[in-house]
Amino acid sequence: QVRLLESGGGSVQPGGSARLSCKASNNPYQSYCMGWFRQAPGKEREAVAFIDFEYRKKYANSVKGRFTVSLDTDQNTVYLQMESLKPEDTATYYCAADFSTATFYPYPCTGALRFGSWGQGTQVTVSS
């Protein structure tokens, strides 16, 4: 079973930056989609950014131009570089992944996917 191990996050001042990492261990699959969701207290989970193994990316409008999702296929690790952070970015960030045995990923890599693997979540707090 593939496990997702997250790292990064913490407390950041408004306007600051942070970087999250998520490594997929024991990944035997050829194609996959990985990405990030977030959930703030009292709010629904929100899709943030996604990338497939062919480096096609999707972003939520709320983070476009500020967040960058990237993928190291050799390390099976997805990153979320967050810049110009705002207090409303405060949330628990979850890594998610979906894998396929096909040589191409058969679905659009977006937050609408039914992801089968999830990380434990990492807190990002943006506050002065």
Side-chain angles (χ1 to χ4, degrees):
Q1 184 177 358
V2 179
R3 292 185 61 196
L4 302 182
L5 304 175
E6 299 176 21
S7 60
S11 294
V12 185
Q13 290 193 339
S17 61
R19 188 192 197 207
L20 307 181
S21 301
C22 173
K23 183 176 177 63
S25 62
N26 304 319
N27 178 17
Y29 298 98
Q30 284 190 285
S31 64
Y32 48 88
C33 166
M34 297 183 74
W36 298 91
F37 290 84
R38 66 185 180 186
Q39 188 165 22
K43 294 189 176 182
E44 292 189 356
R45 188 175 66 194
E46 177 188 16
V48 177
F50 302 89
I51 185 168
D52 68 16
F53 79 113
E54 293 180 302
Y55 307 103
R56 291 171 293 199
K57 304 177 183 181
K58 286 287 186 181
Y59 293 96
N61 288 335
S62 59
V63 306
K64 274 182 183 176
R66 300 188 300 121
F67 290 13
T68 301
V69 63
S70 60
L71 178 66
D72 184 334
T73 54
D74 289 338
Q75 297 295 321
N76 288 315
T77 299
V78 63
Y79 302 94
L80 186 66
Q81 180 68 40
M82 304 181 288
E83 305 287 347
S84 302
L85 282 162
K86 306 174 182 180
E88 51 263 44
D89 294 317
T90 296
T92 301
Y93 285 71
Y94 296 92
C95 175
D98 186 62
F99 303 94
S100 174
T101 56
T103 54
F104 62 95
Y105 190 73
Y107 309 110
C109 183
T110 71
L113 271 180
R114 182 178 293 180
F115 288 89
S117 299
W118 291 86
Q120 77 280 9
T122 186
Q123 179 68 33
V124 174
T125 300
V126 184
S127 173
S128 56

